[in-house]
């Protein structure tokens, strides 16, 4: 069952909570208890994303049948995602980035919005209502209206919305910010006269943003999945705790991580990362939530929020699930713009660490991570990564394995990302920026051997590092014209002789202990810059016969070769001084 955060007497089923979106009193629906996972981590580690999602959702959405849930899950997490993993993990610079942007709109919201319409339609059928909101275009019996801040989204975000096809979709840009848009929607939900008018027309309102529990619950699944995959890959031991870093605006995504922890996932710290709209950082630092401040427009617009609606669900919990106490705090927020929690409530926030990143710190993090690893992240993820660095500095906790929620593709915020990497890109158009970004942003998972084998066909992977234990790829890569800077593992003797036959190996360094290859090197033009070990007299002698060795330096103590070189025609090593 689900209860309102503001009225202890309002109880509804899961499907009713999803269908209504917001409680009658303006509160948010929360589960009356957070269930524990009833499958072992050993079992979870062998599951697909879809299977993991079912194990989580079945515990929260208890009035949905197994068939209904599996139909919803399979319809949601299918080929519309560009990877079968749905939410892959990428190891970069000491953290594990949970990529939540492989859906149709290349943002983390796809993880929940892909299933919400199916949950809503099922809920409508179960509760005998005529229609419910859906998140997809042309879903029968639904209409969706999107409000967005006209000047508060990136150009790519805006184009995605205003070009959306579908006879049942409507997009409205407002002159205001996200908080004003969300407040307006909440007012419509609480308008009883409007509700009567909607009912007469055979419709009712529901919400597709994270105030709807149907948006929140599916997000829990990817944190369970991430932990299970870390365990499956041997990164963590059984019951080993991890940290989770989440770039946070409306507080729904990090609340899902909090629920995952309370389900039994071993989490040490939930790290709440804010941008310059640091209302949450101030709250965790002081216990006072105060939205009375300047609203900042940043390069991470999805976090430009001063009223974090989902924080109410956490407040309700740390208030001992006292609906009256929570309602009083929310009323205070509505009338004065701020509230202060008690010291007892603040003690219950020990699971959280909060900090923020400035615009400069966000850009620096994007550039530094790219220069260090070649991995490109968007601005929201960069806020999280920057705050994670601050967390390590503040706590000296550099040992705990850490998952960073990567909430959007860098392509969604290409201008901010490319400007951070190099200001030279600032003069390019949005589409030109996307083209440039596509040349540098391609990361192949280290365990994907099939893709590694075909990487030599991709012209943009000049600096790709092939895993040192993948001999199968090390061999064919030498035949690709693009690998001028590829370094062959020193213990791969089979590939070393083949590599020198490729003109791309001009700067290849042959291991000093491979005499066989040193001898064979002499006929090839690639040997122009080859340095022969000083103790290999055999090769020092034969190298003189190759006219290509124009840059070869004969050791000063090899008098025999010094004499022989004078007899060479043409005298390509002149000027040469005999001592």
């Amino acid at each position: 069952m689900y209860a309102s955060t503001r009225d202890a007497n309002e109880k509804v089923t899961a499907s009713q909570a999803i269908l209504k979106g917001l409680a009658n009193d303006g509160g948010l629906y929360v589960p009356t208890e957070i269930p524990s996972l009833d499958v072992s981590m050993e079992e979870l580690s062998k599951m697909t994303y879809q299977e993991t999602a079912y194990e989580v959702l079945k515990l929260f959405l208890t009035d949905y049948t197994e068939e209904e849930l599996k139909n919803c899950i399979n319809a949601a997490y299918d080929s519309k995602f560009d990877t079968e993993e749905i939410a892959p993990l990428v190891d970069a610079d000491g953290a594990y980035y949970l990529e939540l942007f492989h859906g149709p709109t290349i943002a983390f919201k796809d993880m929940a919005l892909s299933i919400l319409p199916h949950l809503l339609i099922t809920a409508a059928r179960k509760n005998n209502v005529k229609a419910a909101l859906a998140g997809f275009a042309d879903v029968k019996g639904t209409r969706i209206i999107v409000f967005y801040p006209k000047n508060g989204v990136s150009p790519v975000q805006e184009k995605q919305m205003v070009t959306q096809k579908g006879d049942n979709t409507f997009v409205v840009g407002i002159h205001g910010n996200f908080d004003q848009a969300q407040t307006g929607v909440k007012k419509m939900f609480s308008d009883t006269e409007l509700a009567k008018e909607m009912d007469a027309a055979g419709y009712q309102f529901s919400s597709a943003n994270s105030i709807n529990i149907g948006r929140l619950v599916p997000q829990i699944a990817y944190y369970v999945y991430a932990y299970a995959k870390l365990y499956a890959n041997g990164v963590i031991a059984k019951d080993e705790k991890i940290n989770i870093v989440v770039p946070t605006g409306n507080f729904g995504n990090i609340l899902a991580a909090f629920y995952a922890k309370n389900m039994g996932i071993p989490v040490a710290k939930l790290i709440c990362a804010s941008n310059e709209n640091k209302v949450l950082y101030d709250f965790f630092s002081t216990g006072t939530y105060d939205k009375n401040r300047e609203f900042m427009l940043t390069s991470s617009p999805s976090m430009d929020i001063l009223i974090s609606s989902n924080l109410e669900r956490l407040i309700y919990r740390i208030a001992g699930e006292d609906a009256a106490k929570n309602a009083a705090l929310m009323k205070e927020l509505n009338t004065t713009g701020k509230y202060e929690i008690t010291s007892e409530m603040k003690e219950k926030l020990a699971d959280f660490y909060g900090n923020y990143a400035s615009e400069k710190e966000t850009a620096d993090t994007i550039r530094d991570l790219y220069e260090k690893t070649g991995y490109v992240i968007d601005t929201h993820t960069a806020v999280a990564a920057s705050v994670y660095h601050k967390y390590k500095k503040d706590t000296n906790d550099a040992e705990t394995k850490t998952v960073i929620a990567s909430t959007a593709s860098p392509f969604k915020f290409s201008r901010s990302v490319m400007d951070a990497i190099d200001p030279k890109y600032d003069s390019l158009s949005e589409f030109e920026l996307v083209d440039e970004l596509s040349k540098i942003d391609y990361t192949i998972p280290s365990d994907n051997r099939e893709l590694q084998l075909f990487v030599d066909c991709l012209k943009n992977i000049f600096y790709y590092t092939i895993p040192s234990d993948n001999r199968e790829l090390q061999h064919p890569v030498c035949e690709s014209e693009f690998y001028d800077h590829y370094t062959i593992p020193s213990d791969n003797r089979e590939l070393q002789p083949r590599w020198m036959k490729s003109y791309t190996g001009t700067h290849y360094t042959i291991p000093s202990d491979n005499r066989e290859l040193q001898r064979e090197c002499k006929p090839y033009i690639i040997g122009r810059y080859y340095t022969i070990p000083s103790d290999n007299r055999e090769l020092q002698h034969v190298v003189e016969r190759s006219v290509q060795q124009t840059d070869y330096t004969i050791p000063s103590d090899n008098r025999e070769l010094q004499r022989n070189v004078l007899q060479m025609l043409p005298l390509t090593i002149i000027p040469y001084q005999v001592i």
Side-chain angles (χ1 to χ4, degrees):
M1 296 295 290
Y2 286 77
S4 168
T5 54
R6 301 185 190 181
D7 183 356
N9 296 317
E10 185 175 350
K11 299 284 198 306
V12 296
T13 65
S15 61
Q16 289 169 339
I18 290 172
L19 194 57
K20 295 182 70 173
L22 201 65
N24 295 330
D25 51 32
L28 306 182
Y29 287 116
V30 291
T32 52
E33 63 176 337
I34 298 178
S36 298
L37 288 164
D38 60 4
V39 289
S40 69
M41 188 51 60
E42 200 68 43
E43 293 172 287
L44 284 168
S45 69
K46 299 170 185 175
M47 291 183 183
T48 64
Y49 188 86
Q50 293 84 346
E51 291 167 339
T52 304
Y54 173 72
E55 294 300 329
V56 173
L57 268 61
K58 74 176 186 182
L59 301 174
F60 283 95
L61 309 181
T62 53
D63 62 329
Y64 286 75
T65 67
E66 178 179 350
E67 182 182 9
E68 287 171 338
L69 278 181
K70 288 185 175 179
N71 285 341
C72 290
I73 290 168
N74 292 332
Y77 305 115
D78 57 8
S79 60
K80 70 175 69 68
F81 285 80
D82 64 19
T83 171
E84 290 184 2
E85 289 181 277
I86 306 299
L89 283 163
V90 174
D91 181 2
D93 194 29
Y96 295 87
Y97 288 81
L98 178 61
E99 293 187 342
L100 303 172
F101 53 75
H102 289 274
T105 72
I106 57 177
F108 85 100
K109 293 177 175 64
D110 291 327
M111 299 298 294
L113 286 176
S114 292
I115 192 170
L116 181 58
H118 302 288
L119 295 174
L120 278 166
I121 294 299
T122 305
R125 185 172 61 248
K126 294 172 77 69
N127 290 277
N128 298 315
V129 297
K130 183 175 179 180
L133 176 68
F136 293 138
D138 292 324
V139 175
K140 292 182 179 180
T142 69
R143 291 184 182 179
I144 178 168
I145 305 172
V146 174
F147 295 94
Y148 74 98
K150 177 71 176 131
N151 298 312
V153 297
S154 76
V156 172
Q157 282 180 301
E158 185 168 40
K159 287 180 176 64
Q160 284 181 314
M161 287 186 285
V162 300
T163 59
Q164 174 64 52
K165 296 179 180 180
D167 294 334
N168 65 332
T169 62
F170 306 89
V171 181
V172 180
I174 71 162
H175 295 290
N177 56 44
F178 174 86
D179 291 333
Q180 292 166 324
Q182 182 167 245
T183 299
V185 169
K186 287 181 177 180
K187 286 181 178 179
M188 286 191 290
F189 274 52
S190 60
D191 188 330
T192 55
E193 292 302 315
L194 180 58
K196 291 178 183 177
E197 188 177 340
M198 293 281 290
D199 185 60
Y203 285 92
Q204 75 171 72
F205 276 132
S206 187
S207 170
N209 79 348
S210 57
I211 63 175
N212 191 318
I213 197 69
R215 249 290 292 278
L216 183 61
V217 169
Q219 292 177 268
I220 302 170
Y222 50 70
Y223 292 115
V224 175
Y225 180 76
Y227 188 92
K229 289 307 161 190
L230 289 177
Y231 176 70
N233 295 333
V235 175
I236 55 177
K238 189 176 184 297
D239 299 328
E240 180 178 348
K241 290 186 176 183
I242 65 168
N243 295 325
I244 298 176
V245 191
V246 185
T248 307
N250 215 25
F251 207 76
N253 203 359
I254 195 167
L255 186 66
F258 175 75
Y259 281 179
K261 173 183 171 69
N262 282 271
M263 290 186 77
I265 296 300
V267 176
K269 215 71 171 176
L270 295 161
I271 301 172
C272 179
S274 300
N275 63 16
E276 291 181 346
N277 292 290
K278 56 187 183 72
V279 63
L280 287 169
Y281 163 63
D282 291 340
F283 169 72
F284 283 113
S285 300
T286 67
T288 298
Y289 191 96
D290 188 352
K291 73 180 184 69
N292 300 312
R293 62 186 70 202
E294 181 183 0
F295 186 92
M296 310 291 288
L297 291 175
T298 74
S299 60
S300 48
S302 297
M303 301 164 64
D304 290 347
I305 295 173
L306 294 179
I307 304 175
S308 300
S309 292
N310 277 290
L311 183 63
E312 179 174 347
R313 288 183 163 116
L314 181 64
I315 296 298
Y316 172 79
R317 185 172 178 85
I318 64 175
E321 300 186 346
D322 186 331
K325 190 173 185 178
N326 175 73
L329 290 173
M330 295 306 113
K331 183 177 180 180
E332 193 175 348
L333 177 65
N334 190 46
T335 55
T336 68
K338 66 179 182 178
Y339 61 80
E340 183 177 1
I341 61 174
T342 65
S343 57
E344 291 81 12
M345 292 170 68
K346 191 176 180 185
E347 288 175 2
K348 296 178 182 178
L349 296 176
D351 289 338
F352 291 87
Y353 167 92
N355 215 317
Y356 77 100
S358 68
E359 285 290 270
K360 182 181 184 304
E361 289 169 333
T362 301
D364 289 348
T365 299
I366 292 172
R367 184 184 63 256
D368 292 347
L369 184 63
Y370 172 69
E371 290 179 349
K372 187 181 294 186
T373 68
Y375 186 55
V376 184
I377 56 177
D378 87 296
T379 47
H380 302 74
T381 309
V383 169
S386 178
V387 167
Y388 175 52
H389 293 317
K390 291 182 178 182
Y391 166 79
K392 289 193 291 183
K393 184 177 180 181
D394 288 348
T395 64
N396 293 318
D397 177 17
E399 301 301 320
T400 304
K401 307 295 192 307
T402 297
V403 169
I404 296 177
S406 186
T407 54
S409 164
F411 287 93
K412 198 149 189 166
F413 304 94
S414 54
R415 181 166 299 282
S416 295
V417 170
M418 295 303 285
D419 283 353
I421 290 173
D422 194 325
K424 72 180 182 182
Y425 295 113
D426 190 52
S427 62
L428 301 181
S429 70
E430 289 295 327
F431 291 108
E432 288 172 328
L433 284 170
V434 169
D435 288 340
E436 289 299 315
L437 181 54
S438 69
K439 295 177 182 178
I440 66 171
D441 179 44
Y442 190 83
T443 303
I444 300 173
S446 60
D447 62 345
N448 189 337
R449 293 299 171 91
E450 181 180 357
L451 186 53
Q452 289 166 10
L453 286 172
F454 291 102
V455 72
D456 55 311
C457 300
L458 303 172
K459 65 181 180 180
N460 295 324
I461 317 299
F462 289 101
Y463 298 94
Y464 175 61
T465 300
I466 300 170
S468 60
D469 63 342
N470 189 343
R471 292 296 171 86
E472 187 179 2
L473 181 56
Q474 289 165 12
H475 289 212
V477 75
C478 67
E479 298 163 6
S480 168
E481 62 180 301
F482 306 117
Y483 287 86
D484 292 351
H485 301 274
Y486 175 61
T487 301
I488 301 171
S490 60
D491 63 341
N492 190 341
R493 291 298 174 86
E494 184 179 354
L495 182 54
Q496 288 165 11
R498 295 179 60 186
W499 178 256
M500 66 180 180
K501 296 184 174 74
S502 169
Y503 75 90
T504 65
T506 318
H507 301 277
Y508 175 59
T509 300
I510 301 172
S512 60
D513 62 343
N514 190 341
R515 292 300 172 87
E516 180 183 355
L517 184 55
Q518 289 167 11
R519 286 191 293 270
E520 294 176 2
C521 181
K522 64 183 186 294
Y524 301 103
I525 191 170
I526 66 167
R528 293 186 60 187
Y529 300 95
Y530 174 59
T531 301
I532 301 173
S534 59
D535 62 343
N536 190 342
R537 291 300 174 88
E538 180 185 358
L539 185 55
Q540 290 169 9
H541 285 249
V542 296
V543 74
E544 62 182 292
R545 299 187 181 92
S546 174
V547 296
Q548 285 85 23
Q549 307 303 323
T550 54
D551 296 290
Y552 174 61
T553 301
I554 301 173
S556 58
D557 61 344
N558 190 339
R559 295 307 171 98
E560 182 180 356
L561 185 53
Q562 289 167 9
R563 286 190 294 271
N564 292 345
V565 78
L566 294 177
Q567 301 171 11
M568 293 177 60
L569 290 174
L571 294 178
T572 54
I573 307 186
I574 297 301
Y576 176 73
Q577 181 177 2
V578 178
I579 300 175

